[in-house]
Amino acid sequence: MPQDLSDIVAEVCRDVQNEIGTGRVADYIPALAKVDPRKFGISIVTCDGKTANAGDADELFSIQSVSKIFTLTLAAEKIGAALWERVGREPTGSAFNSIVQLEHESGIPRNPLINAGAIVVTDVLLEGNGPQQTIDSIIAFLRRRADDDTIQFDPEVARSETETGDRNASLAHFMRGFGNVKGQVADVLHVYFRQCAITMSCRQLARAGLYLAHAGSDPVTGEEVVSEARARRINAVMMTCGHYDASGDFAFHVGLPGKSGVGGGILAIAPRHASIAVWSPGLNEVGNSLVGSLALERLSALTGWSVF
Ligand code: GLU
């Protein structure tokens, strides 16, 4: 790497400065529409202990679909390879909340990072546990990973999602009709909406994802979170499916496994190097953070961290 990490982050911030405030804040979940589109934060944690933060890196935002990486981790740990009998690992080419493919594919969602797939993953976590216990265990996992006991969900966002969650409810009922959701739909959605409504800062999120950059283990605590093989697979799914219908475009421009959420956050993993979180609420037409994606593209170019 040619320069110091903080110089690189400063350069990334300068490069995206003129774009900040562009894009459209998600408004299909009313509570998200209130967020200031001019926010921008970035945090990097490297496997060898360096950190760099800039902008609104300490401000909490709704992690939304970024939560799907952590529930995928927990479900893979819970049932291992059996998970892949209930959810695929192929990109979709259709919208994150689409129902059309599910009919042709007998209620087995294409991948765990679209809504249908994430709902199945949440159902796996729910099996044998109550809804409260399940959301508590997801939050406990994030608190451990981020080394921060303050992490929680935003009840207003959870309520807003519940009130407007008809498409997710449809997906869940449809899959239950195929036997691929086993719990009660109300319970599965109770957990799913709360996991999406978890709020974290870029600093917390980057720290939480570090095990994926470090072959499954936390370089700070030494804890093995998942095996090396499993970390590789989660990264593979992030690379191929993490950016909705624009996952190919993200791979092309950024070249890092990543997962975005409609709150404007993106978690990106530079294997063997670093975990990176960016946040900027304005989204592009496919629903990925516009400035966040640009910032990661610049970061990847400046660091040479692209996996390609
Ligand atoms: N809670 C959102 C939904 O289910 C998540 C969407 C996203 O971030 O992709 O619609």
Side-chain angles (χ1 to χ4, degrees):
M1 220 162 46
Q3 302 153 280
D4 185 69
L5 195 58
S6 49
D7 293 340
I8 290 180
V9 168
E11 190 167 338
V12 168
C13 292
R14 271 197 306 277
D15 289 347
V16 301
Q17 192 59 40
N18 291 339
E19 307 295 330
I20 291 179
T22 57
R24 254 190 91 211
V25 175
D27 55 7
Y28 77 103
I29 300 169
L32 293 183
K34 298 181 193 159
V35 180
D36 179 355
R38 285 159 309 185
K39 297 285 180 185
F40 171 72
I42 179 167
S43 287
I44 303 175
V45 189
T46 66
C47 293
D48 58 2
K50 297 191 199 73
T51 58
N53 304 282
D56 302 305
D58 285 307
E59 195 156 324
L60 299 178
F61 61 91
S62 192
I63 67 167
Q64 292 294 317
S65 282
V66 182
S67 65
K68 294 170 182 171
I69 298 308
F70 302 106
T71 50
L72 170 61
T73 298
L74 290 169
E77 285 297 285
K78 184 174 177 184
I79 64 168
L83 182 64
W84 305 114
E85 289 159 24
R86 296 187 49 190
V87 62
R89 38 187 192 241
E90 291 293 344
T92 60
S94 44
F96 68 103
N97 54 6
S98 167
I99 202 166
V100 285
Q101 253 163 8
L102 272 181
E103 165 119 57
H104 297 298
E105 296 173 1
S106 309
I108 312 279
R110 273 287 172 99
N111 69 65
L113 303 185
I114 50 170
N115 285 11
I119 288 168
V120 168
V121 166
T122 300
D123 184 55
V124 167
L125 296 181
L126 197 57
E127 265 179 80
N129 301 301
Q132 189 60 47
Q133 200 182 353
T134 307
I135 186 64
D136 286 350
S137 67
I138 295 168
I139 291 175
F141 178 72
L142 280 171
R143 288 179 173 181
R144 250 190 342 272
R145 296 283 48 89
D147 190 22
D148 191 328
D149 279 342
T150 65
I151 292 168
Q152 52 193 320
F153 72 85
D154 179 340
E156 193 198 336
V157 174
R159 196 169 336 110
S160 191
E161 293 214 39
T162 309
E163 282 162 6
T164 56
D166 297 303
R167 289 188 72 138
N168 289 318
S170 309
L171 293 169
H173 279 291
F174 198 62
M175 292 188 291
R176 196 162 192 275
F178 281 104
N180 197 25
V181 162
K182 301 183 193 300
Q184 293 303 317
V185 166
D187 291 346
V188 181
L189 294 179
H190 178 96
V191 179
Y192 175 75
F193 291 140
R194 280 160 185 75
Q195 81 184 49
C196 290
I198 290 171
T199 56
M200 290 172 80
S201 65
C202 288
R203 194 190 293 262
Q204 291 168 334
L205 190 56
R207 175 68 185 87
L210 192 56
Y211 67 101
L212 291 171
H214 192 249
S217 75
D218 186 325
V220 182
T221 63
E223 188 186 341
E224 183 180 287
V225 183
V226 293
S227 68
E228 182 173 358
R230 183 153 292 153
R232 209 166 38 234
R233 268 131 188 193
I234 295 169
N235 285 334
V237 175
M238 287 173 85
M239 176 65 94
T240 51
C241 311
H243 281 80
Y244 312 116
D245 203 8
S247 299
D249 205 51
F250 189 82
F252 183 87
H253 287 290
V254 180
L256 296 174
K259 180 71 199 96
S260 70
V262 293
I266 304 177
L267 172 66
I269 302 299
R272 291 173 295 281
H273 297 293
S275 170
I276 306 137
V278 290
W279 171 53
S280 174
L283 308 179
N284 62 20
E285 57 296 339
V286 263
N288 296 312
S289 172
L290 196 156
V291 178
S293 306
L294 286 177
L296 287 169
E297 182 174 353
R298 283 303 295 144
L299 181 74
S300 173
L302 290 168
T303 54
W305 283 344
S306 164
V307 303
F308 299 109

